[in-house]
Each structure stands twice: as C-alpha cells, then as structure tokens.
Amino acid sequence: YQRLGDVAFNKIEKVSGELFTLMYGAIVIQVLKDADGDAEQTSTQLEKMGYNIGMRMIDEFLAKSNVTSCRDFKETGEVIAKVAFRMFLGVTAECHHSAPTVSPPADGSPQASSDAAFRLVFVENPLSEFVELPEHCSNLAFSNLLCGVIRGALEMVGMRVSCRLVKDTLWGDEHTEISVVLKEVIAEHYQDDED
Amino acid sequence: ARNWAYHRGSCRPVVLMIFNMYVFNRDGVCLFYRDWHRVHRTVESPAADQKLMFGFLFSLKQIVNKLTPQNGMPGFHACQTNKFKLNYYETASGLRFVLNTDLQAGDMREPLRHIYAGLYVEYASKNSLYKLGDPLDNDLFVQSVDQYIRSLPSFGS
C-alpha cells in the first residue's frame, strides 16, 4: 500500500503546505468564534464539517487511488493510513490494530465484530503545524475534522464507524492518534415502495 | 466511414451506437439519464423506466453473487441480449453507471471509469453547489458527458 500511496501522491495536484495549514487554522478560529469560545462545541462542529467532506472525498479517493475492495476492517485501516493519508495530507500514518481480526464469511462481504477497530498514529500533522492551543481551549480537538472525514468516507462505502481523536501532539502527547471503531456494516437494501 | 463496421461473415454494414446512460446512487435515486439513440421507450414514465433499471441491476447483482462458481466478489460489468449490451460500473461508494450500447461497441469499462473519475468526481463531488443525491443537472457535467460520449469511436452519428 505504501507504493500505491506514493503513486497517488505523485499524481494528485498539490497546494502549498503552509497555505493549507493557515487555511485550516483560520477555519478553526472562525468555528471557535461562532461557538463563543466553547471548545467542545467547536470540536463537534469540526467533526461534522469533516463528515460532509469525507462523503465527497471518498469518490475522489476511489477514482484516483485505484484501490480494490478491502477484505476486512484491518485492511481498511491500512489503506487509510498508507494511501489516503499520503494522498490527501502528504504524510503516512501507521495503523495499529487492537482487536483480533475477523475472518470474512464465504460470500466475501465484510463482517462486523463488536470490537473491530484500529488506531491511526502519526507524528507529522499538516493541519496543526505551528499551532499552539491556548489555555482556555486546551481540550480542543483541533484535528477533529480528520475524524469526521474518516467517518463520512467510510459510511459511503458501507461502514458505520465511530472515530475519535485520542491523542494529540497539541495536548502534549508524543504523537497524534485517531481511534476508529466499526459499529455496523451497512447492508445494501432496496425498498420497493409499490406493491 | 469510421462509424461503420462489418458484421462478421455477412456484408451487412452495422452502425456502432451508444444508446443511453443512467447514473444511480446507492439508494436507487437516478441522478442522471441521457439518451442518444433510443428508439424503443417503455410506455410508462422515465421515472418508471429508471426504477425498473435499478431494480434489475440490484437483483442481478444479488443473483450473480450467489451463483458465482468461484470465490470472491464477482463484480459484473456487462450483460447482453441479441440487440444491445448493458455495460455497468459500480463504485465502492455505491454509484452505478450504466451505458447501453450495441453489440459491436466493445469494452466500455474505461469510458465508464472516465465518466466517474474524470467527470463525476470533478463536476459533482468537488462542486460545493451540488448536493449529494440531487439530480446531476449542472451544465458542466451534462455537456462534458455528452461531448465525451460523442467523441467515442463507438458512437455512431
């Protein structure tokens, strides 16, 4: 997947890293202002914004990365860490698995386990470069947009997940970590509304 | 001259043709429909026609998954009758692109992939004025699809 990530990264058009960081910072400040300085509300709002972005971004990702279907949730994590992160953020994350993987059933569809999960770990974060959190919003989940993006994108490919910023270098941790837990595999259904 | 092909064995000229195209999302909403050479139309409305198409695709996919003789996801990409070929491309995000062509048109997987990656992603996904699930009626998308289809060698005049 590393190679796929590099290929995708090389193909995609890029913007200046600093510009990206500054723009994101400006967005966070604006959302914080709109929320009257409430860090928790801001974190939630950032996640919601990310969710809408993720729902669109998935198509660009699928179209440009040429990844094929993942066999299990573990592979999903690897693809996000090595291909998606590289393609959109220019950095590679590590994917750590905390739960035993579930072997897929015979028909090939992914099966949800009550604790299928992975953690995305990364040190470099282009969203939060040059950023320091002031005391009055020291619990702000600055990069929560990423959690929303992951949640929105995965929902569009049939997985309902919960996504949380667990560690952040802005909080004094040694790296940034996002936990992704699979809640439900969304089965395809079609309602026929005429009898 | 380049729009004509000779049917194997006979001297009867056959015009290459792309008939029509549908785009559905995963909920069955028909986001886009365009026809170029469709002569036979169902008696009912376009809405009924689109619903029929989606129902057909959905059922076909379920059946193919159950009947496939080998392991793994089969991913059907075409089926044909003696009059036309239905070409199909489904993305992991549930978008379904259908292109009906005549039997000589050849493999439509690359054109379908281009319509997704080059046109849908550029003019719909990345378009903040386009709400996901709405009909794809913005000019850029409609015109570029039309232009692209007409530029294909399989498209008869």
Side-chain angles (χ1 to χ4, degrees), chain B residues 8-62:
Chain B
R8 273 198 311 265
S10 77
C11 292
R12 180 168 48 88
V14 172
V15 182
L16 299 182
M17 213 88 89
I18 291 179
F19 299 122
N20 57 3
M21 178 178 149
Y22 302 73
V23 181
F24 295 98
N25 70 1
R26 61 187 178 157
D27 298 322
V29 176
C30 185
L31 303 176
F32 183 80
Y33 174 76
R34 185 71 193 256
D35 63 52
W36 292 274
H37 282 114
R38 183 179 192 165
V39 175
H40 171 75
R41 276 158 218 284
T42 51
V43 181
E44 304 134 60
S45 62
D49 175 75
Q50 287 152 16
K51 202 160 169 211
L52 184 67
M53 175 60 84
F54 185 82
F56 168 69
L57 295 172
F58 187 82
S59 310
L60 188 59
K61 189 174 155 190
Q62 306 280 47

Side-chain angles (χ1 to χ4, degrees), chain A residues 14-41:
Chain A
K14 299 175 194 47
V15 296
S16 141
E18 278 98 30
L19 178 62
F20 183 68
T21 306
L22 285 173
M23 274 177 59
Y24 185 68
I27 289 172
V28 176
I29 289 173
Q30 185 60 54
V31 177
L32 194 58
K33 213 179 278 181
D34 291 342
D36 291 321
D38 183 340
E40 215 171 292
Q41 212 183 95

